[in-house]
Amino acid sequence: MKIPKNCDVLVIGGGPAGSSAATHLAQAGIDVVLLERSTFPRNQVGESLIPHIWKFTDMTGVTEKIEQEGFLAKAGGITVWDDKIHQIMFSDFGYKRPGLHVERDIFDNILLEHALSCGANILNQVAVKKVDFSNKEWPQVFYTDKRGDSNNEGTIRCQYIIDASGHSSFLANQFKVKQTISSQFNFLSLWGYFKNSRFAGVDRQSYPEEALITVKPVTFVMSFEGGWVWHIILRGKTSVGLVIPSDRTKGLNKQQKELFFKQTCSQLPYLNKLLEPAQFIEGSLQYRPDYSYYSNNICGENFYCIGDAAAFVDPIFSHGVQNALYNAATATVAIKASLKNKTKRLRYSQLCESRMQQFYGFSRALSLGDYGCNGVNPELVKSLMKTLPPLELELILVASEMTNRSENFKKLAREAGVLDQSYVGFSDRKQERIKTLSF
Ligand SMILES: Cc1cc2nc3c(=O)[nH]c(=O)nc-3n(C[C@H](O)[C@H](O)[C@H](O)COP(=O)(O)OP(=O)(O)OC[C@H]3O[C@@H](n4cnc5c(N)ncnc54)[C@H](O)[C@@H]3O)c2cc1C
């Protein structure tokens, strides 16, 4: 397909944020072009999805395609944090639909193909290199087209740009506004995949992979030495990742990192039981150093940064994909309104920015303890708490008891008055504190 010379909206990146934004716009009859530098399906980490995603997939009409794929349905999560064990079940909070454990290459590809089927122009292997904003009405995007054997430079003009480039935060880097959360919050992630792992079941027992036909899995999370580890069973392999202070692997080469990863996994209680019969998939170790960042300039009159391009929050509560889908919905409402009424486009972008910052502030307060305060507007977070449906709020309040990361969040909840008499902390039914796990 030829790359057009202009369009209404140009989206950078085809992950969940970009593909959902392109779908919303195409469904509204807007001329949208999405440029993705890799070839889909492409690998991506972040396999645990919470049930909140369904309201966004319903909006874009992709729910049925996701359901047809048959991803593993997860019932909730078990955490072992500072030796305290907790279990949470989505169904106890009124969620009729499950969370999911998804292979992200397949999940993200479903969303991108859906955007295409809705009329978005999708081009893989085309990397955006620069955006020139000197013409405010029609910014110019410079790209390199690497399709086939080509390596052609080209440009495209558009009225609005959506930056959904993930952790490369294309525009935040071009504007030089990307900030790390705190010099003290210095973490990285190492993750890899195992074959034949056992998994944590909804009844807190561990099971061999074959039992997935009859037993619903849960995501297993555990703290250790200042960091934490995840175990997410997928179809045919298991994702295991460490989130650790960066200095732990300082100076280690790739081989040494892999050794560190394997040794850590084999030494951690519970996790080592789950992995006892498992084999590490050689070559699967990956690494992400730029952990948790934000920017205070994510929307402007002609640009919107969404998903990880805008901010990244430690994924301890699996908020990443949900945030990406939420941002896509919010930004495209603002763009649709701006296309209809250009004189108000700055105002729409400001409203959108405060909505998205509110959402990120909420996630950061929940996940990052005191570190999460920088750049967070506490009043915005409190107002979001007050507007959440009661069961959704209760789920989050209960989740905030599961780790030691949510002190800041609980303080804001108290100030917002949502931690009143009706909330009694650990209710036996909704959140069980468990003495042991039979792994
Ligand atoms: C270690 C780790 C664990 C995580 N675990 C979870 C989890 O369990 N649950 C969860 O919900 N989230 C998790 N996340 C977060 C989640 O993966 C992200 O929030 C999510 O992928 C964000 O989607 P996105 O569309 O913004 O970006 P991405 O999925 O990163 O997509 C961005 C796309 O943009 C493309 N791109 C980049 N630059 C350019 C360019 N210049 N031109 C064209 N294309 C470009 C990339 O190729 C990519 O395909 C985790 C993240 C990490 C790092």
Side-chain angles (χ1 to χ4, degrees), residues 328-340:
T330 313
T332 50
V333 166
I335 290 176
K336 283 185 250 177
S338 303
L339 282 164
K340 283 201 186 112

Side-chain angles (χ1 to χ4, degrees), residues 12-18 35-38 40 42 44-49 104 108 126-128 164-168 170 189 191 230 232 288 291 306-309 312 315 318-322 324:
I12 309 173
L35 303 182
E36 163 57 52
R37 70 178 170 196
S38 63
F40 266 54
R42 56 96 178 89
Q44 179 60 289
V45 68
E47 293 105 338
S48 156
L49 305 187
R104 282 288 303 276
D108 290 8
V126 183
V128 172
S165 61
H167 72 282
S168 44
F170 186 84
S189 183
W191 69 93
W230 77 76
I232 301 171
R288 175 75 63 82
Y291 224 69
I306 63 173
D308 282 6
F312 178 68
S318 303
H319 275 178
V321 171
Q322 180 210 212

